[in-house]
Amino acid sequence: MSESKGLGKLFRAFFEANDLQEIVSTFRAVCREVEVDPDQRENFYQTLKERLHDWRCDPLWPMLDERLARPVYEGQSPCKGKRLLVVGAGPIGLRMAIEGIMLGAEVDVVEKRESFTRNNVVHLWPFVVQDLKGLGAKHFHSRFCSGSIHHAAIRLLQVLLLKTCLLLGVKIHFPVSFQDLIEPQTDSDDWRVLFEPPTTPLSSQTFDSIIAADGKQYCLPGFTGKEFRAKLAIGITMNFVNNRKKSDILVEEIGGWSYHCDQAFFNKLAKDHGIELENIVYYKDETHYFVMTAKKSSLLEKGVLLKDYPTSGELLSRDNVCRDALVDYAKEAAVYTTKGGLGELVFAPNYRGDKDVAMFDFTGMMYSDNASKILERKGKKLLLGIAGDSLFESFWPTGSGMGRGVLGVFDAAWMFKRFCQGDPPLEVVKEREGLFNGLRSVFSLVSNTNGYTIDPVTRYGLARMSSLSVPQDTTQIYDTDAV
Ligand code: FAD
């Protein structure tokens, strides 16, 4: 089909769409215009590519073709005919969905929310930037990672990845929440899922694998997390409007200052303003974003926390926080850090339309007990896995969330590929656990990031792969009713 004026307008709306509902509805309108059924599974990408020509879209096809043609995906044959459900349309769930499609599976993503709302900005490791650029991030958003420190707003990552997902044929369902697994009832039955609302057409579908990237919710049965509690750490995030004026541009970003490295800066802030911080990060992104760890004593003294309590839960409870004082505290710290160079700072609105400043408990970090599991009932196997923040929560000021998150996606995709192509299931999940154990401690990575694929050897190296610490007791990762 040749380029038409109507199509150009529709594709532009999709290209510029900025939130979940808008992206999905504009995409469906584009599909209708080129007479492709947006719910089609078989050859969806090829059909859309043949029919959809628009100058904004044309440069994307070769980029995606190049990725699909990588040898590790074997022409989309390894998972052909298999059904993968991804729980959660956060950046990691969406990135997982892309790997599922690349491997040839039919992929559905369920997301319980109706909107992408997080202004907060995440740090991106170089290999993640490279990966996302190769999936069209820069094409959809020309400012993507153009500064010296690489980062992106969480909601922007969701927007960019969702657009790529849709073009490749991933189907997204929202607001739909994963509730539980439904075991096969008869020998001819297969694994199903209980969703909310149950009226979703997905309720009648069967699945071969489910990967949950549900951000620490542990919705999959049999997966639990442990909390590692460190010294009390109170995090504050805030976002200010970025007007992209000269003053917005001139102020330099702060990749991460900590008390140990620059005592004079932090001591002066404490002396002149009564604000005691342990570290601070400032990124100039869609917003001016700050994340910092503040000392309890100064929050009490400045009236942000009303009373002292022994537990962080009580300390940071809604009733114990004076929001106006928090707003002033955060703004004062931001003005001091940027030497007032950003001029009049105006808070960006959060999802409720309030000033986007929030206080979080960074004291506890969640780690999953395991990364994978096979359930077998009536001879039917279901491969389960988790990825993203559920696997290991990141400490925001260091920004390991997306780096380790994407490595976890690649490892989960490798597990899914091996499972679909019939490798011994227990070996598949044992290897997955071995990789997870490695990533829990700091894994050294192969320096040539250009060669990274879902094959773990390309990222961790041969030596590491031959010395994985795999679990000896496999009852936790292989649950079968077979006698
Ligand atoms: P998430 O991004 O949390 O996505 C999980 C998704 O799963 C959500 O969209 C959720 O609605 C959906 N979901 C959950 N349960 C279900 C279910 N049963 N059914 C369907 N859908 C479900 N990191 C930083 O580095 N800096 C920050 O400042 C920062 N701020 C954050 C602020 C908030 C409020 C949150 C929640 C996280 C923040 N993070 C921050 C963490 C960062 O967002 C994650 O590391 C990153 O988004 C990757 O996480 P993810 O995709 O695994 O999970």
Short mmCIF file of all heavy atoms in Angstrom, two decimals, residues 21-78:
data_model
loop_
_atom_site.label_atom_id
_atom_site.label_comp_id
_atom_site.label_asym_id
_atom_site.label_seq_id
_atom_site.Cartn_x
_atom_site.Cartn_y
_atom_site.Cartn_z
N GLN A 21 -2.94 4.28 26.88
CA GLN A 21 -4.21 4.21 26.14
C GLN A 21 -4.07 4.83 24.76
O GLN A 21 -4.55 4.28 23.77
CB GLN A 21 -5.29 5.01 26.88
CG GLN A 21 -5.48 4.58 28.28
CD GLN A 21 -6.94 4.70 28.69
OE1 GLN A 21 -7.83 4.75 27.85
NE2 GLN A 21 -7.19 4.71 29.98
N GLU A 22 -3.41 6.00 24.74
CA GLU A 22 -3.27 6.74 23.48
C GLU A 22 -2.42 5.94 22.48
O GLU A 22 -2.72 5.88 21.29
CB GLU A 22 -2.58 8.08 23.83
CG GLU A 22 -2.60 9.11 22.75
CD GLU A 22 -1.68 10.29 23.10
OE1 GLU A 22 -1.02 10.26 24.16
OE2 GLU A 22 -1.60 11.21 22.27
N ILE A 23 -1.37 5.31 22.97
CA ILE A 23 -0.49 4.54 22.08
C ILE A 23 -1.27 3.37 21.47
O ILE A 23 -1.23 3.13 20.27
CB ILE A 23 0.76 4.02 22.84
CG1 ILE A 23 1.63 5.18 23.29
CG2 ILE A 23 1.57 3.06 21.98
CD1 ILE A 23 2.75 4.81 24.25
N VAL A 24 -2.01 2.67 22.32
CA VAL A 24 -2.72 1.49 21.83
C VAL A 24 -3.84 1.91 20.87
O VAL A 24 -4.01 1.30 19.80
CB VAL A 24 -3.25 0.64 23.00
CG1 VAL A 24 -4.14 -0.48 22.52
CG2 VAL A 24 -2.07 0.07 23.80
N SER A 25 -4.57 2.96 21.22
CA SER A 25 -5.70 3.33 20.32
C SER A 25 -5.18 3.89 18.99
O SER A 25 -5.75 3.57 17.93
CB SER A 25 -6.66 4.29 21.00
OG SER A 25 -6.00 5.48 21.33
N THR A 26 -4.09 4.66 19.02
CA THR A 26 -3.58 5.19 17.74
C THR A 26 -2.99 4.05 16.91
O THR A 26 -3.08 4.06 15.68
CB THR A 26 -2.54 6.30 17.96
OG1 THR A 26 -1.52 5.81 18.85
CG2 THR A 26 -3.14 7.57 18.53
N PHE A 27 -2.40 3.06 17.58
CA PHE A 27 -1.82 1.94 16.83
C PHE A 27 -2.93 1.14 16.14
O PHE A 27 -2.80 0.76 14.98
CB PHE A 27 -1.03 1.02 17.76
CG PHE A 27 -0.37 -0.12 17.03
CD1 PHE A 27 0.68 0.12 16.15
CD2 PHE A 27 -0.82 -1.42 17.19
CE1 PHE A 27 1.28 -0.92 15.45
CE2 PHE A 27 -0.23 -2.46 16.49
CZ PHE A 27 0.82 -2.22 15.62
N ARG A 28 -4.02 0.95 16.85
CA ARG A 28 -5.13 0.19 16.26
C ARG A 28 -5.70 0.95 15.05
O ARG A 28 -6.08 0.35 14.05
CB ARG A 28 -6.22 -0.10 17.31
CG ARG A 28 -5.74 -1.06 18.39
CD ARG A 28 -6.82 -1.43 19.38
NE ARG A 28 -7.67 -2.53 18.92
CZ ARG A 28 -7.38 -3.83 19.08
NH1 ARG A 28 -6.28 -4.18 19.69
NH2 ARG A 28 -8.20 -4.75 18.62
N ALA A 29 -5.72 2.29 15.15
CA ALA A 29 -6.22 3.10 14.03
C ALA A 29 -5.29 2.94 12.82
O ALA A 29 -5.76 2.80 11.68
CB ALA A 29 -6.33 4.56 14.45
N VAL A 30 -3.97 2.91 13.07
CA VAL A 30 -3.01 2.71 11.97
C VAL A 30 -3.27 1.35 11.33
O VAL A 30 -3.33 1.22 10.09
CB VAL A 30 -1.55 2.80 12.48
CG1 VAL A 30 -0.56 2.31 11.45
CG2 VAL A 30 -1.21 4.23 12.91
N CYS A 31 -3.43 0.32 12.16
CA CYS A 31 -3.66 -1.04 11.64
C CYS A 31 -4.91 -1.08 10.76
O CYS A 31 -4.92 -1.66 9.68
CB CYS A 31 -3.79 -2.04 12.78
SG CYS A 31 -2.23 -2.38 13.60
N ARG A 32 -5.97 -0.44 11.26
CA ARG A 32 -7.23 -0.44 10.49
C ARG A 32 -7.01 0.22 9.13
O ARG A 32 -7.48 -0.26 8.11
CB ARG A 32 -8.33 0.29 11.27
CG ARG A 32 -9.02 -0.59 12.31
CD ARG A 32 -10.32 0.04 12.78
NE ARG A 32 -10.11 1.33 13.41
CZ ARG A 32 -9.81 1.50 14.70
NH1 ARG A 32 -9.71 0.45 15.49
NH2 ARG A 32 -9.62 2.70 15.20
N GLU A 33 -6.27 1.33 9.13
CA GLU A 33 -6.05 2.08 7.88
C GLU A 33 -5.32 1.22 6.84
O GLU A 33 -5.59 1.30 5.66
CB GLU A 33 -5.24 3.36 8.20
CG GLU A 33 -4.94 4.27 7.03
CD GLU A 33 -6.17 5.00 6.49
OE1 GLU A 33 -7.21 5.01 7.18
OE2 GLU A 33 -6.07 5.54 5.36
N VAL A 34 -4.37 0.39 7.30
CA VAL A 34 -3.62 -0.44 6.34
C VAL A 34 -4.22 -1.86 6.23
O VAL A 34 -3.60 -2.76 5.67
CB VAL A 34 -2.11 -0.50 6.69
CG1 VAL A 34 -1.46 0.86 6.57
CG2 VAL A 34 -1.87 -1.09 8.08
N GLU A 35 -5.40 -2.00 6.81
CA GLU A 35 -6.15 -3.27 6.72
C GLU A 35 -5.37 -4.46 7.25
O GLU A 35 -5.25 -5.51 6.62
CB GLU A 35 -6.62 -3.50 5.28
CG GLU A 35 -7.63 -2.45 4.86
CD GLU A 35 -8.01 -2.52 3.39
OE1 GLU A 35 -7.64 -3.51 2.74
OE2 GLU A 35 -8.67 -1.59 2.93
N VAL A 36 -4.79 -4.24 8.42
CA VAL A 36 -4.16 -5.36 9.15
C VAL A 36 -4.93 -5.50 10.46
O VAL A 36 -5.16 -4.51 11.16
CB VAL A 36 -2.67 -5.05 9.46
CG1 VAL A 36 -2.07 -6.17 10.32
CG2 VAL A 36 -1.86 -4.88 8.19
N ASP A 37 -5.32 -6.73 10.76
CA ASP A 37 -6.06 -6.96 12.01
C ASP A 37 -5.07 -6.84 13.18
O ASP A 37 -4.11 -7.61 13.26
CB ASP A 37 -6.67 -8.37 11.96
CG ASP A 37 -7.39 -8.73 13.26
OD1 ASP A 37 -7.43 -7.88 14.17
OD2 ASP A 37 -7.89 -9.86 13.34
N PRO A 38 -5.29 -5.86 14.08
CA PRO A 38 -4.32 -5.69 15.17
C PRO A 38 -4.24 -6.91 16.08
O PRO A 38 -3.25 -7.07 16.80
CB PRO A 38 -4.83 -4.47 15.94
CG PRO A 38 -6.22 -4.23 15.48
CD PRO A 38 -6.38 -4.88 14.14
N ASP A 39 -5.24 -7.79 16.04
CA ASP A 39 -5.19 -9.00 16.87
C ASP A 39 -4.59 -10.21 16.14
O ASP A 39 -4.48 -11.29 16.72
CB ASP A 39 -6.61 -9.36 17.37
CG ASP A 39 -7.19 -8.21 18.20
OD1 ASP A 39 -6.42 -7.61 18.97
OD2 ASP A 39 -8.39 -7.89 18.04
N GLN A 40 -4.23 -9.99 14.87
CA GLN A 40 -3.63 -11.09 14.09
C GLN A 40 -2.33 -11.54 14.76
O GLN A 40 -1.56 -10.73 15.25
CB GLN A 40 -3.34 -10.56 12.67
CG GLN A 40 -2.64 -11.52 11.75
CD GLN A 40 -2.27 -10.84 10.43
OE1 GLN A 40 -3.03 -10.04 9.89
NE2 GLN A 40 -1.10 -11.18 9.90
N ARG A 41 -2.08 -12.86 14.75
CA ARG A 41 -0.84 -13.38 15.34
C ARG A 41 0.15 -13.78 14.24
O ARG A 41 1.29 -13.36 14.24
CB ARG A 41 -1.14 -14.63 16.18
CG ARG A 41 -2.13 -14.39 17.30
CD ARG A 41 -1.42 -13.88 18.52
NE ARG A 41 -2.36 -13.69 19.62
CZ ARG A 41 -1.99 -13.26 20.81
NH1 ARG A 41 -0.75 -12.98 21.08
NH2 ARG A 41 -2.87 -13.08 21.76
N GLU A 42 -0.32 -14.63 13.33
CA GLU A 42 0.54 -15.20 12.31
C GLU A 42 1.08 -14.09 11.40
O GLU A 42 0.29 -13.32 10.85
CB GLU A 42 -0.30 -16.22 11.51
CG GLU A 42 0.45 -17.09 10.56
CD GLU A 42 1.18 -18.25 11.26
OE1 GLU A 42 0.80 -18.59 12.39
OE2 GLU A 42 2.12 -18.78 10.65
N ASN A 43 2.38 -14.02 11.24
CA ASN A 43 3.02 -13.07 10.32
C ASN A 43 2.59 -11.62 10.52
O ASN A 43 2.51 -10.85 9.56
CB ASN A 43 2.72 -13.45 8.85
CG ASN A 43 3.46 -14.70 8.47
OD1 ASN A 43 4.58 -14.95 8.97
ND2 ASN A 43 2.86 -15.51 7.64
N PHE A 44 2.26 -11.24 11.73
CA PHE A 44 1.77 -9.88 11.95
C PHE A 44 2.81 -8.84 11.51
O PHE A 44 2.51 -7.91 10.76
CB PHE A 44 1.44 -9.65 13.43
CG PHE A 44 1.01 -8.25 13.72
CD1 PHE A 44 -0.31 -7.89 13.56
CD2 PHE A 44 1.92 -7.28 14.11
CE1 PHE A 44 -0.73 -6.58 13.78
CE2 PHE A 44 1.52 -5.97 14.34
CZ PHE A 44 0.19 -5.62 14.18
N TYR A 45 4.04 -9.01 11.96
CA TYR A 45 5.09 -8.02 11.67
C TYR A 45 5.32 -7.91 10.17
O TYR A 45 5.38 -6.81 9.62
CB TYR A 45 6.37 -8.42 12.41
CG TYR A 45 7.57 -7.61 12.01
CD1 TYR A 45 7.74 -6.31 12.47
CD2 TYR A 45 8.55 -8.14 11.17
CE1 TYR A 45 8.85 -5.56 12.11
CE2 TYR A 45 9.66 -7.40 10.80
CZ TYR A 45 9.81 -6.11 11.28
OH TYR A 45 10.90 -5.36 10.91
N GLN A 46 5.43 -9.06 9.50
CA GLN A 46 5.71 -9.04 8.06
C GLN A 46 4.58 -8.35 7.31
O GLN A 46 4.82 -7.53 6.42
CB GLN A 46 5.88 -10.48 7.52
CG GLN A 46 7.13 -11.19 8.02
CD GLN A 46 8.41 -10.46 7.67
OE1 GLN A 46 8.45 -9.67 6.73
NE2 GLN A 46 9.47 -10.70 8.43
N THR A 47 3.35 -8.67 7.68
CA THR A 47 2.20 -8.07 6.99
C THR A 47 2.17 -6.56 7.21
O THR A 47 1.97 -5.78 6.27
CB THR A 47 0.86 -8.68 7.52
OG1 THR A 47 1.04 -10.07 7.67
CG2 THR A 47 -0.30 -8.39 6.62
N LEU A 48 2.39 -6.16 8.44
CA LEU A 48 2.36 -4.72 8.74
C LEU A 48 3.47 -4.00 7.97
O LEU A 48 3.25 -2.94 7.38
CB LEU A 48 2.53 -4.52 10.25
CG LEU A 48 2.29 -3.10 10.75
CD1 LEU A 48 0.82 -2.71 10.62
CD2 LEU A 48 2.71 -2.96 12.21
N LYS A 49 4.64 -4.62 7.96
CA LYS A 49 5.80 -3.99 7.29
C LYS A 49 5.52 -3.82 5.79
O LYS A 49 5.86 -2.79 5.20
CB LYS A 49 7.03 -4.87 7.51
CG LYS A 49 8.32 -4.24 7.06
CD LYS A 49 9.52 -5.08 7.39
CE LYS A 49 9.61 -6.26 6.47
NZ LYS A 49 10.91 -6.93 6.47
N GLU A 50 4.88 -4.80 5.20
CA GLU A 50 4.60 -4.71 3.75
C GLU A 50 3.61 -3.59 3.46
O GLU A 50 3.68 -2.94 2.44
CB GLU A 50 3.98 -6.03 3.27
CG GLU A 50 5.04 -7.06 2.88
CD GLU A 50 4.46 -8.47 2.89
OE1 GLU A 50 3.24 -8.64 2.59
OE2 GLU A 50 5.23 -9.37 3.23
N ARG A 51 2.67 -3.39 4.41
CA ARG A 51 1.58 -2.45 4.09
C ARG A 51 1.78 -1.05 4.65
O ARG A 51 1.15 -0.11 4.18
CB ARG A 51 0.26 -3.01 4.64
CG ARG A 51 -0.08 -4.32 4.00
CD ARG A 51 -1.49 -4.70 4.30
NE ARG A 51 -1.72 -6.06 3.84
CZ ARG A 51 -2.81 -6.75 4.08
NH1 ARG A 51 -3.79 -6.19 4.78
NH2 ARG A 51 -2.96 -7.96 3.63
N LEU A 52 2.61 -0.94 5.66
CA LEU A 52 2.73 0.35 6.34
C LEU A 52 3.97 1.09 5.87
O LEU A 52 5.10 0.72 6.22
CB LEU A 52 2.77 0.11 7.86
CG LEU A 52 3.04 1.30 8.78
CD1 LEU A 52 2.14 2.48 8.47
CD2 LEU A 52 2.84 0.89 10.23
N HIS A 53 3.76 2.11 5.07
CA HIS A 53 4.88 2.94 4.61
C HIS A 53 4.63 4.38 5.00
O HIS A 53 3.62 4.96 4.62
CB HIS A 53 5.05 2.82 3.09
CG HIS A 53 5.41 1.44 2.68
ND1 HIS A 53 6.66 0.91 2.92
CD2 HIS A 53 4.67 0.47 2.11
CE1 HIS A 53 6.67 -0.34 2.49
NE2 HIS A 53 5.48 -0.64 2.01
N ASP A 54 5.52 4.88 5.78
CA ASP A 54 5.43 6.27 6.21
C ASP A 54 6.86 6.70 6.51
O ASP A 54 7.64 5.90 7.03
CB ASP A 54 4.57 6.37 7.47
CG ASP A 54 4.48 7.79 7.99
OD1 ASP A 54 3.63 8.54 7.50
OD2 ASP A 54 5.29 8.14 8.88
N TRP A 55 7.20 7.94 6.18
CA TRP A 55 8.61 8.34 6.34
C TRP A 55 9.07 8.24 7.78
O TRP A 55 10.25 8.05 8.05
CB TRP A 55 8.86 9.73 5.75
CG TRP A 55 8.11 10.85 6.45
CD1 TRP A 55 6.89 11.34 6.11
CD2 TRP A 55 8.54 11.61 7.59
NE1 TRP A 55 6.52 12.34 6.97
CE2 TRP A 55 7.52 12.54 7.88
CE3 TRP A 55 9.68 11.60 8.38
CZ2 TRP A 55 7.61 13.44 8.94
CZ3 TRP A 55 9.77 12.50 9.43
CH2 TRP A 55 8.74 13.40 9.70
N ARG A 56 8.10 8.33 8.73
CA ARG A 56 8.52 8.21 10.14
C ARG A 56 8.78 6.75 10.51
O ARG A 56 9.50 6.46 11.44
CB ARG A 56 7.43 8.74 11.07
CG ARG A 56 7.29 10.25 11.05
CD ARG A 56 6.16 10.66 11.97
NE ARG A 56 5.71 11.99 11.65
CZ ARG A 56 4.86 12.27 10.68
NH1 ARG A 56 4.33 11.32 9.94
NH2 ARG A 56 4.51 13.51 10.43
N CYS A 57 8.15 5.87 9.77
CA CYS A 57 8.23 4.45 10.13
C CYS A 57 9.27 3.70 9.31
O CYS A 57 9.93 2.78 9.82
CB CYS A 57 6.85 3.84 9.88
SG CYS A 57 6.74 2.15 10.39
N ASP A 58 9.47 4.11 8.06
CA ASP A 58 10.33 3.34 7.16
C ASP A 58 11.74 3.07 7.72
O ASP A 58 12.25 1.96 7.56
CB ASP A 58 10.39 4.01 5.78
CG ASP A 58 9.06 3.80 5.04
OD1 ASP A 58 8.31 2.86 5.44
OD2 ASP A 58 8.75 4.56 4.11
N PRO A 59 12.39 4.04 8.39
CA PRO A 59 13.74 3.73 8.91
C PRO A 59 13.72 2.68 10.04
O PRO A 59 14.75 2.10 10.34
CB PRO A 59 14.23 5.08 9.45
CG PRO A 59 13.30 6.10 8.93
CD PRO A 59 12.00 5.43 8.65
N LEU A 60 12.55 2.46 10.63
CA LEU A 60 12.48 1.49 11.74
C LEU A 60 12.56 0.06 11.26
O LEU A 60 13.13 -0.81 11.93
CB LEU A 60 11.16 1.66 12.48
CG LEU A 60 11.11 2.63 13.63
CD1 LEU A 60 9.67 2.78 14.10
CD2 LEU A 60 11.97 2.13 14.79
N TRP A 61 11.96 -0.21 10.09
CA TRP A 61 11.89 -1.61 9.63
C TRP A 61 13.28 -2.25 9.51
O TRP A 61 13.48 -3.35 10.03
CB TRP A 61 11.12 -1.72 8.31
CG TRP A 61 9.68 -1.23 8.35
CD1 TRP A 61 9.09 -0.35 7.49
CD2 TRP A 61 8.64 -1.61 9.27
NE1 TRP A 61 7.77 -0.15 7.81
CE2 TRP A 61 7.47 -0.91 8.91
CE3 TRP A 61 8.58 -2.45 10.38
CZ2 TRP A 61 6.27 -1.03 9.60
CZ3 TRP A 61 7.39 -2.58 11.07
CH2 TRP A 61 6.25 -1.89 10.68
N PRO A 62 14.24 -1.59 8.81
CA PRO A 62 15.56 -2.26 8.70
C PRO A 62 16.21 -2.51 10.06
O PRO A 62 16.89 -3.51 10.26
CB PRO A 62 16.41 -1.27 7.88
CG PRO A 62 15.52 -0.20 7.42
CD PRO A 62 14.19 -0.32 8.07
N MET A 63 15.94 -1.59 11.00
CA MET A 63 16.51 -1.74 12.34
C MET A 63 15.96 -3.01 13.01
O MET A 63 16.68 -3.82 13.56
CB MET A 63 16.06 -0.53 13.17
CG MET A 63 17.13 0.13 13.97
SD MET A 63 16.38 1.48 14.88
CE MET A 63 16.70 2.84 13.82
N LEU A 64 14.64 -3.15 12.91
CA LEU A 64 14.01 -4.31 13.54
C LEU A 64 14.34 -5.60 12.78
O LEU A 64 14.56 -6.65 13.38
CB LEU A 64 12.49 -4.10 13.64
CG LEU A 64 12.05 -2.92 14.51
CD1 LEU A 64 10.54 -2.75 14.51
CD2 LEU A 64 12.54 -3.08 15.96
N ASP A 65 14.44 -5.47 11.44
CA ASP A 65 14.81 -6.65 10.63
C ASP A 65 16.19 -7.15 11.04
O ASP A 65 16.42 -8.35 11.14
CB ASP A 65 14.86 -6.28 9.14
CG ASP A 65 13.46 -6.21 8.54
OD1 ASP A 65 12.51 -6.70 9.18
OD2 ASP A 65 13.32 -5.65 7.43
N GLU A 66 17.10 -6.19 11.25
CA GLU A 66 18.47 -6.58 11.62
C GLU A 66 18.45 -7.36 12.92
O GLU A 66 19.10 -8.39 13.07
CB GLU A 66 19.32 -5.30 11.75
CG GLU A 66 20.82 -5.53 11.98
CD GLU A 66 21.19 -5.74 13.45
OE1 GLU A 66 20.57 -5.11 14.34
OE2 GLU A 66 22.09 -6.55 13.72
N ARG A 67 17.65 -6.90 13.88
CA ARG A 67 17.59 -7.57 15.18
C ARG A 67 16.97 -8.97 15.03
O ARG A 67 17.47 -9.95 15.57
CB ARG A 67 16.76 -6.72 16.14
CG ARG A 67 16.79 -7.16 17.59
CD ARG A 67 18.18 -7.14 18.20
NE ARG A 67 18.66 -5.81 18.47
CZ ARG A 67 18.56 -5.17 19.65
NH1 ARG A 67 18.00 -5.78 20.66
NH2 ARG A 67 19.05 -3.96 19.80
N LEU A 68 15.86 -9.03 14.26
CA LEU A 68 15.18 -10.32 14.09
C LEU A 68 16.06 -11.35 13.40
O LEU A 68 15.92 -12.56 13.61
CB LEU A 68 13.90 -10.12 13.27
CG LEU A 68 12.72 -9.49 14.03
CD1 LEU A 68 11.73 -8.86 13.06
CD2 LEU A 68 12.00 -10.54 14.87
N ALA A 69 17.00 -10.84 12.57
CA ALA A 69 17.83 -11.75 11.78
C ALA A 69 19.03 -12.29 12.56
O ALA A 69 19.80 -13.08 12.04
CB ALA A 69 18.31 -11.02 10.52
N ARG A 70 19.21 -11.87 13.82
CA ARG A 70 20.37 -12.34 14.56
C ARG A 70 20.33 -13.87 14.72
O ARG A 70 19.26 -14.43 14.99
CB ARG A 70 20.44 -11.67 15.93
CG ARG A 70 20.82 -10.21 15.77
CD ARG A 70 21.14 -9.58 17.08
NE ARG A 70 21.51 -8.19 16.84
CZ ARG A 70 21.72 -7.30 17.78
NH1 ARG A 70 21.60 -7.64 19.03
NH2 ARG A 70 22.06 -6.06 17.47
N PRO A 71 21.48 -14.51 14.56
CA PRO A 71 21.49 -15.98 14.56
C PRO A 71 20.84 -16.61 15.79
O PRO A 71 20.21 -17.66 15.69
CB PRO A 71 22.99 -16.32 14.51
CG PRO A 71 23.63 -15.11 13.92
CD PRO A 71 22.80 -13.93 14.30
N VAL A 72 20.96 -15.96 16.95
CA VAL A 72 20.43 -16.57 18.17
C VAL A 72 18.90 -16.77 18.10
O VAL A 72 18.35 -17.64 18.77
CB VAL A 72 20.83 -15.73 19.41
CG1 VAL A 72 20.01 -14.46 19.53
CG2 VAL A 72 20.76 -16.55 20.69
N TYR A 73 18.22 -16.00 17.24
CA TYR A 73 16.76 -16.14 17.13
C TYR A 73 16.35 -17.18 16.08
O TYR A 73 15.16 -17.46 15.93
CB TYR A 73 16.12 -14.78 16.80
CG TYR A 73 16.39 -13.72 17.85
CD1 TYR A 73 17.01 -12.53 17.51
CD2 TYR A 73 16.03 -13.91 19.18
CE1 TYR A 73 17.28 -11.56 18.47
CE2 TYR A 73 16.30 -12.96 20.15
CZ TYR A 73 16.93 -11.78 19.78
OH TYR A 73 17.20 -10.82 20.73
N GLU A 74 17.34 -17.70 15.34
CA GLU A 74 17.11 -18.80 14.39
C GLU A 74 15.84 -18.62 13.56
O GLU A 74 14.99 -19.52 13.49
CB GLU A 74 17.05 -20.14 15.15
CG GLU A 74 18.34 -20.46 15.88
CD GLU A 74 18.24 -21.73 16.72
OE1 GLU A 74 17.57 -22.67 16.27
OE2 GLU A 74 18.84 -21.75 17.81
N GLY A 75 15.73 -17.43 12.98
CA GLY A 75 14.57 -17.17 12.10
C GLY A 75 13.23 -17.31 12.80
O GLY A 75 12.23 -17.69 12.19
N GLN A 76 13.21 -16.97 14.07
CA GLN A 76 11.97 -17.02 14.89
C GLN A 76 11.40 -18.43 15.00
O GLN A 76 10.20 -18.60 15.28
CB GLN A 76 10.89 -16.07 14.32
CG GLN A 76 11.11 -14.59 14.58
CD GLN A 76 12.36 -14.06 13.91
OE1 GLN A 76 12.42 -14.05 12.70
NE2 GLN A 76 13.35 -13.65 14.68
N SER A 77 12.24 -19.46 14.82
CA SER A 77 11.71 -20.82 14.89
C SER A 77 11.70 -21.43 16.31
O SER A 77 10.82 -22.25 16.61
CB SER A 77 12.48 -21.74 13.94
OG SER A 77 13.83 -21.80 14.35
N PRO A 78 12.62 -21.07 17.23
CA PRO A 78 12.71 -21.86 18.48
C PRO A 78 11.41 -21.90 19.29
O PRO A 78 11.10 -22.92 19.88
CB PRO A 78 13.81 -21.16 19.29
CG PRO A 78 14.61 -20.41 18.29
CD PRO A 78 13.67 -20.04 17.19
#
